[in-house]
Amino acid sequence: MSEPQSPPTRPSPTRPSPTRRDVLVAAAVTGAATMIPTALYAAAGEGAIRPFLVNVPDEALADLRRRVGATKWPKQETVADASQGVQLATMRKLALYWQTAHDWRKVEARLNAWPQFMTEIDGLDIHFIHVRSKHENALPVIITHGWPGSIIEQLKIIDPLTNPTAHGGSASDAFDVVIPSLPGHGFSGQPTTTGWDPQRIARAWTVLMKRLGYTRYVAQGGDWGDAISEQMAVQAPPELLGIHTNMPATVPDEIARALQSGGPAPSGLSEEEKNAYDQLDFFYKHGLGYAQEMANRPQTLYGIEDSPVGLAAWMLDHDARSYALITRVFDGQAEGLTRDDILDNVTLYWLTNTAVSSARLYWENKLAFFAPKQLTIPVAVSVFPDEIYAAPRSWAEKAFPKLVYYNRLDKGGHFAAWEQPGPFSAELRAAFRSLRA
């Protein structure tokens, strides 16, 4: 394959590269007023909710293409598989497509097709999508993405959740959907002080839902979205009816100790439990490198803030199981995510300069990720087989005394809403049906 060539369009040499401020362009109220009834939102002052649109300057996209074309490539790996990391052939395919075929304007239009807003909470701007269902008595749900995901993960489920009658559901299954960008991610503000850990973000989400006028709602998440949704459940605001997770924290203490020792699985495990143990054992031995670096030295990752191909490789290789599901599309396999899905998300991180600021959440977090958190409110669990680990029902029942729903699916992985939006939406309808009364 020939090396990607730089396109002819380049930013003017006398003009600096676009900054994050250039990229995050708030909409004039007149431009967004037709999208939502603005009377529903605070117009000014403390707690103001401002309409927001994405408008990336052409110079930022030209600069991205130039940088992709200028990539300094390493030599090919010395093995025939991905055991040394993201393979050179995969990254060259990605770079070629990114530079010559990927169209950011399409995803920008998809984002701007939904009502987006900005509001300040606890001194930080929080960006969010908010879509109200046309159906009466819709159940509000706040859905939180993870890393290396973004709000782009959830775009495919907005219409199935808010407009279920068009997707095989009934009006009684409708949701109002709120999808915020995590602090330091996407279009939300980048914290300039420490302390934005999952507990603080959970409190901010409670403020957001109150600010939107909701007196009853549910929460959903996987990855960091699970950690934050579970902390919302720990804090248990009276308005929160329950949570749904597709990556639950259910690992019993004795299993965690055995995994930490690196020894064999404890005896007496069921088939489901042994499978989960083996998945976790593999993850701890082969999939934690990215998290250890970000949890200890996130500021060191200057390279992924400076090189788009470096950023893409870092995000693709965030854990070994997800790596195979993501990179296969560059080898011609169509299952799950597309090339555009992947590059839409990486491009969002690049354009918002959030590679390092998003990594700091790992540094901020002091919680044991998979340890049960003693939740006392209703919890629903959907298990996708290619997740980091497929939580067994037995572990879920121990971790969640009020387990109201548990289901194992036959397809899907870490980015469940993104990879399998139809089944994922059906899971949310089923999971929360008992809490609507």
Side-chain angles (χ1 to χ4, degrees):
M1 184 194 320
S2 60
E3 184 169 335
Q5 300 297 310
S6 299
T9 303
R10 295 172 183 261
S12 167
T14 62
R15 181 174 181 175
S17 296
T19 65
R20 186 172 190 270
R21 179 177 292 276
D22 294 327
V23 172
L24 308 186
V25 180
V29 173
T30 55
T34 58
M35 301 170 69
I36 46 94
T38 53
L40 294 172
Y41 300 97
E46 185 177 0
I49 297 175
R50 296 111 56 193
F52 179 90
L53 289 176
V54 183
N55 184 9
V56 174
D58 289 336
E59 292 90 340
L61 300 177
D63 179 64
L64 168 60
R65 291 191 295 270
R66 178 187 64 80
R67 289 171 181 265
V68 172
T71 299
K72 183 178 179 180
W73 295 99
K75 297 296 184 182
Q76 184 172 326
E77 60 278 0
T78 58
V79 293
D81 55 27
S83 59
Q84 292 183 352
V86 185
Q87 292 167 285
L88 180 63
T90 297
M91 291 310 301
R92 283 190 175 275
K93 292 175 186 176
L94 179 149
L96 180 63
Y97 188 83
W98 204 356
Q99 193 182 15
T100 62
H102 178 255
D103 186 354
W104 167 259
R105 296 302 182 197
K106 287 183 178 180
V107 70
E108 188 176 275
R110 288 174 60 212
L111 285 166
N112 288 335
W114 299 114
Q116 296 177 82
F117 305 93
M118 196 78 77
T119 191
E120 183 179 319
I121 300 176
D122 200 7
L124 191 71
D125 270 345
I126 299 297
H127 165 265
F128 63 98
I129 296 170
H130 183 202
V131 184
R132 296 179 184 268
S133 175
K134 65 182 179 181
H135 298 293
E136 294 184 4
N137 301 316
L139 178 63
V141 58
I142 182 166
I143 305 176
T144 309
H145 66 82
W147 186 96
S150 67
I151 56 170
I152 288 174
E153 282 185 67
Q154 283 89 26
L155 292 181
K156 296 177 185 178
I157 62 173
I158 295 175
D159 199 60
L161 294 180
T162 59
N163 187 21
T165 55
H167 299 271
S170 65
S172 60
D173 288 324
F175 292 88
D176 282 1
V177 173
V178 179
I179 304 173
S181 295
L182 287 170
H185 295 64
F187 303 113
S188 283
Q190 297 184 17
T192 57
T193 59
T194 61
W196 278 96
D197 56 17
Q199 297 95 315
R200 186 173 180 181
I201 297 171
R203 291 192 293 271
W205 280 193
T206 298
V207 171
L208 176 59
M209 295 304 277
K210 286 183 178 179
R211 192 168 291 177
L212 294 175
Y214 291 125
T215 58
R216 55 191 292 277
Y217 58 87
V218 292
Q220 196 287 324
D223 196 83
W224 284 119
D226 168 72
I228 290 153
S229 297
E230 290 202 18
Q231 285 306 301
M232 293 179 74
V234 168
Q235 296 162 12
E239 301 86 0
L240 182 63
L241 303 179
I243 69 168
H244 172 272
T245 173
N246 52 287
M247 200 183 87
T250 68
V251 179
D253 288 345
E254 64 274 16
I255 298 295
R257 287 193 296 269
L259 288 164
Q260 191 172 30
S261 72
S267 60
L269 298 183
S270 69
E271 183 178 346
E272 275 189 355
E273 293 167 341
K274 178 61 165 57
N275 177 66
Y277 184 93
D278 290 342
Q279 289 175 320
L280 286 164
D281 186 49
F282 180 86
F283 176 68
Y284 287 147
K285 290 176 178 176
H286 303 287
L288 270 178
Y290 76 98
Q292 290 169 340
E293 176 65 24
M294 294 195 292
N296 286 281
R297 311 284 285 180
Q299 193 64 29
T300 299
L301 297 171
Y302 294 93
I304 64 173
E305 197 83 64
D306 183 63
S307 166
V309 168
L311 173 64
W314 184 259
M315 294 172 70
L316 261 60
D317 202 25
H318 78 285
D319 78 74
R321 292 181 65 80
S322 294
Y323 167 76
L325 297 175
I326 292 173
T327 59
R328 63 187 177 183
V329 301
F330 291 100
D331 293 322
Q333 300 181 51
E335 177 65 33
L337 301 178
T338 68
R339 292 177 297 182
D340 286 315
D341 285 332
I342 293 164
L343 287 173
D344 290 348
N345 186 58
V346 180
T347 303
L348 176 62
Y349 273 80
W350 175 260
L351 293 173
T352 56
N353 299 109
T354 50
V356 170
S357 62
S358 63
R360 293 194 189 108
L361 182 53
Y362 287 80
W363 186 91
E364 292 282 359
N365 178 57
K366 303 300 184 291
L367 301 169
F369 209 99
F370 295 126
K373 307 300 190 296
Q374 287 74 54
L375 308 187
T376 59
I377 70 170
V379 177
V381 173
S382 297
V383 176
F384 291 83
D386 291 316
E387 183 52 89
I388 290 174
Y389 84 104
R393 178 186 287 271
S394 59
W395 294 2
E397 289 173 342
K398 292 178 183 177
F400 308 125
K402 293 185 179 179
L403 184 68
V404 295
Y405 180 86
Y406 177 95
N407 188 38
R408 298 176 70 91
L409 291 95
D410 59 6
K411 187 181 292 186
H414 188 67
F415 302 102
W418 206 14
E419 299 165 10
Q420 303 293 335
F424 184 90
S425 300
E427 283 297 289
L428 260 63
R429 296 179 199 136
F432 289 127
R433 202 163 280 146
S434 67
L435 302 183
R436 288 178 178 268

